[in-house]
Amino acid sequence: MPLHAVETFEEWRVAARELIATGVPAEDVSWTASSQSLFSAQSPSSTQTSGTKNFSVPPEFIERARVVACHQDQGRWELLYRILWRLTHGERHLLKDSADDDITRFQRMHKAVTRDVHKMKAFVRFRKVVVDEGEQFIAWHRPDHRIVRLAAPFFARRFPTMNWTILTPEESVTWDQQDLKFGPGVPASEAPEGDVLEDLWKTYYVSTFNPARIKIKAMKKEMPVRHWPTMPETALIPEMLEQAGQRVTQMMNSREGFDTTAASFFPDEMTWENVAAAASACRACHLHEHATQTVFGTGATNAGIVLVGEQPGDREDIEGEPFVGPAGQLLDEALENAKIDRTTVYITNVVKHFKFTEKGKRRLHQKPNAREISACRPWLEAELEILKPSALVLLGATAAQALLGRDFRITRQRGQIVKSEWCDRTVATWHPAAILRMPDEVRRRQMTEDLILDLATVHGR
Ligand code: URA
Ligand code: SF4
C-alpha cells in the first residue's frame, strides 16, 4: 500500500490529485503526517499512470479542505482523500449531505479550525522590542491546531508596516513588511511572557530568521564557516548575539502588549446571542465604569448590510441601542432615501461603551483613544465574523481606520467600494454626527447626499 507522508495541504493536494487521476481508491492509500516517514513515502508517479483521467471537484471542497488540513486530527488526510474520492466517484453533491459521517466530521473539524483562527486573530498581542536596527514586534500564541499559515495573511494585512514575529509551539511566522516567512516552532512548555518571551525572541529570531543582520565577517573570524551547519543552534546563538551587537536597548510599551482586550471575555460558543451577552459584562477597558451599559449591535443578524459607527452617544447609552439619538435620526432618513429598510440592516459601533466628560448636567461625547478602540475591537470582529455581511458601511473615521487601517482618510477615499478582511464590498462614508456638526448649510446638504449615495451604491448590486 502506498504510504504518503504529507505535512501541508499543498503536499496533500499534489499527492491526492495523482492518486485520484490514477484511480487509487481511498482504502488503498495510507497517509502519514510525520516527517520521519518521509522515506517510506512513495512518489505518486511511481504508481501506475495508466487510466489517468481528468476530474474536477467543487471549489468549495478545496477551500474547506485547506482549513480542515490544519486540524490536529491525525486522520485528516485520510478523511480528505476519502471525501475527494467519493466526490469524484458519483457523489458530487456529497458536501451537502450533513447526515453523512464523513461530512459531519469534516464540518466539525472545519468549525474547530475556523474558531481557532478567530481566537488567534483576537488574542495575539505583540510586544514591542527595540533593537539597534529598529523595532520588532513579537508575540507568543498557542493555537489548538496548525493554523499559523492560515492566520498569517490576516496579520500581514492588519500590520503591514510593522516587523513582527508570531511564535507558536509548532510553527512560527515572521513578516518583514514584504514577505511572510515560516519557520519551526518554539518548543516551550509554558507560554512565555514578558522578559522570557523577549529573550526567546532574541535567540530565536536572530538564529532563525535574520542571519543577514549578523556581522558575517566577525563571525567568520571566530568560527570557520564550514563548522556552521554542524554546530548546534544553541551553541551559535550567544556568539551570534554578541558578534552582531544584537542588543536589546530599550523596552517600550512593555505592558501594553499584554493588556486585556474584549477577547478575554469571549464565550465558548461564538454565536451572536452568546457574544452579545458576554459583551454586556465586558470589563476590558475602563469605559464601562462610567457608562450606563454596553451598547451592542442590533438589527437583523442575517442582514446583508452592516453599518458601523464610532461609539454610543448619550441617548444610546441610556436606551442601550445604537444610533437612536440625533445622529440615528439622520441615519434613518438617509437609509430611507437610499431605499434601505432599517429593519433589514445590522447596526453597531467600534466601541461599545459611551465615553464622555461631564459639563454641568450634560454629558459631552469624547473620542475613544487607540487603547480603547483596540480593547473593544474583538467584539466588532466577532460580530462581523458571525454576520458575514455582503455590504459593510463604515461611518466616519474611527470605524474606517479601525477596519481599514490608520492611514485611511474619509476625505480622500469616501464612497469607494473596497475589499476588506470582512467584506468584499466595504465602503467608508461620512458619519451622521459629523454631518450634524457641519456649520455650513450647503456643505451639510452635500455630505448628506454623499451619505445617501454611498448607502445606495453599496446596497444596490
Ligand atoms: N454615533 C455613533 O457613532 N454611534 C451611535 O450609536 C450613535 C452616535
Ligand atoms: Fe469592553 Fe468595549 Fe466596553 Fe471597553 S468599551 S469595557 S472593551 S465593551
Side-chain angles (χ1 to χ4, degrees):
M1 181 184 286
L3 181 69
H4 290 274
V6 290
E7 280 282 321
T8 65
F9 176 71
E10 289 311 324
E11 286 169 18
W12 174 84
R13 194 175 172 180
V14 169
R17 194 188 279 139
E18 280 282 340
L19 288 163
I20 290 282
T22 52
V24 183
E27 56 273 24
D28 286 358
V29 194
S30 154
W31 301 88
T32 165
S34 152
S35 48
Q36 301 115 267
S37 320
L38 262 176
F39 294 109
S40 51
Q42 198 172 322
S43 147
S45 53
S46 67
T47 61
Q48 91 262 26
T49 47
S50 59
T52 302
K53 54 183 187 292
N54 284 330
F55 63 94
S56 69
V57 291
E60 186 200 346
F61 171 70
I62 299 298
E63 203 182 295
R64 304 196 128 225
R66 193 187 300 283
V67 174
V68 171
C70 299
H71 202 285
Q72 290 288 20
D73 190 325
Q74 297 291 330
R76 65 198 184 282
W77 304 124
E78 258 97 351
L79 176 71
L80 291 180
Y81 189 68
R82 195 161 56 243
I83 293 175
L84 177 64
W85 176 265
R86 294 178 62 191
L87 282 169
T88 53
H89 289 79
E91 294 182 79
R92 198 165 163 78
H93 301 292
L94 178 63
L95 290 184
K96 296 202 174 59
D97 184 359
S98 319
D100 183 271
D101 283 352
D102 282 346
I103 298 307
T104 315
R105 194 164 148 220
F106 182 69
Q107 284 166 345
R108 207 177 47 232
M109 287 163 77
H110 185 271
K111 203 167 158 190
V113 173
T114 308
R115 178 177 146 73
D116 203 28
V117 171
H118 182 86
K119 267 170 46 191
M120 180 161 172
K121 288 179 187 174
F123 280 112
V124 161
R125 290 289 164 265
F126 289 101
R127 177 184 168 112
K128 179 153 89 178
V129 178
V130 179
V131 292
D132 292 348
E133 295 87 344
E135 292 171 346
Q136 180 75 25
F137 291 82
I138 48 169
W140 160 266
H141 183 69
R142 185 196 294 279
D144 294 332
H145 303 283
R146 294 190 58 130
I147 55 168
V148 170
R149 275 163 205 272
L150 271 189
F154 164 85
F155 292 98
R157 281 193 299 273
R158 169 67 67 77
F159 306 108
T161 57
M162 275 164 45
N163 292 323
W164 53 254
T165 298
I166 302 173
L167 307 168
T168 79
E170 286 187 81
E171 288 173 290
S172 58
V173 58
T174 276
W175 170 253
D176 59 7
Q177 306 193 28
Q178 272 187 331
D179 294 307
L180 288 168
K181 293 195 186 76
F182 296 93
V186 177
S189 52
E190 294 301 321
E193 284 204 0
D195 294 344
V196 180
L197 174 61
E198 189 176 323
D199 284 347
L200 182 65
W201 171 76
K202 278 189 283 173
T203 49
Y204 191 76
Y205 180 82
V206 171
S207 62
T208 308
F209 292 114
N210 211 344
R213 281 188 179 181
I214 296 153
K215 288 182 184 132
I216 300 292
K217 259 194 203 149
M219 278 205 59
K220 279 184 183 165
K221 228 168 58 190
E222 298 294 322
M223 263 183 293
V225 178
R226 67 193 152 81
H227 285 154
W228 289 10
T230 57
M231 297 270 291
E233 199 176 59
T234 44
L236 271 174
I237 289 163
E239 205 70 37
M240 282 178 159
L241 284 174
E242 216 181 313
Q243 299 291 340
Q246 187 77 294
R247 203 165 27 87
V248 175
T249 51
Q250 203 188 348
M251 286 300 306
M252 288 174 69
N253 297 347
S254 57
R255 279 290 313 140
E256 191 160 88
F258 291 101
D259 274 355
T260 313
T261 80
S264 312
F265 294 81
F266 274 3
D268 287 341
E269 269 283 329
M270 297 286 283
T271 61
W272 184 86
E273 286 78 10
N274 288 354
V275 172
S280 69
C282 183
R283 300 284 178 268
C285 79
H286 65 93
L287 290 187
H288 72 88
E289 290 164 17
H290 303 290
T292 310
Q293 58 190 314
T294 302
V295 179
F296 203 67
T298 52
T301 48
N302 61 350
I305 307 185
V306 169
L307 308 179
V308 184
E310 182 186 73
Q311 65 169 344
D314 182 67
R315 291 281 346 137
E316 289 78 15
D317 173 72
I318 294 161
E319 294 191 27
E321 292 219 5
F323 284 102
V324 291
Q329 217 163 32
L330 195 152
L331 181 62
D332 280 350
E333 285 163 22
L335 284 167
E336 204 178 311
N337 278 303
K339 310 248 178 314
I340 301 171
D341 180 355
R342 173 156 175 170
T343 60
T344 66
V345 303
Y346 181 89
I347 306 185
T348 190
N349 287 300
V350 175
V351 170
K352 310 295 196 225
H353 272 113
F354 179 38
K355 181 178 179 181
F356 58 91
T357 48
E358 268 163 311
K359 193 172 175 208
K361 274 196 188 149
R362 290 176 55 210
R363 302 190 300 172
L364 299 180
H365 159 274
Q366 267 194 311
K367 252 188 163 352
N369 63 32
R371 163 78 192 92
E372 290 145 3
I373 290 171
S374 73
C376 207
R377 187 169 40 210
W379 293 129
L380 175 61
E381 287 177 353
E383 287 174 291
L384 294 174
E385 200 134 319
I386 293 165
L387 296 176
K388 300 201 189 333
S390 55
L392 178 59
V393 182
L394 308 173
L395 300 166
T398 302
Q401 291 177 355
L403 296 186
L404 299 174
R406 290 272 182 87
D407 297 332
F408 193 92
R409 292 290 171 271
I410 294 270
T411 44
R412 274 207 313 267
Q413 291 149 286
R414 196 218 98 240
Q416 296 171 16
I417 295 186
V418 295
K419 198 176 151 108
S420 71
E421 175 69 25
W422 295 273
C423 179
D424 286 354
R425 294 169 64 80
T426 301
V427 72
T429 187
W430 304 123
H431 193 293
I435 300 179
L436 289 176
R437 279 197 304 269
M438 177 55 64
D440 182 72
E441 160 91 37
V442 178
R443 183 80 189 112
R444 194 162 65 234
R445 226 182 277 152
Q446 180 58 51
M447 287 166 83
T448 311
E449 273 166 31
D450 290 343
L451 173 63
I452 295 167
L453 175 71
D454 295 342
L455 288 168
T457 307
V458 81
H459 175 51
R461 327 183 133 233

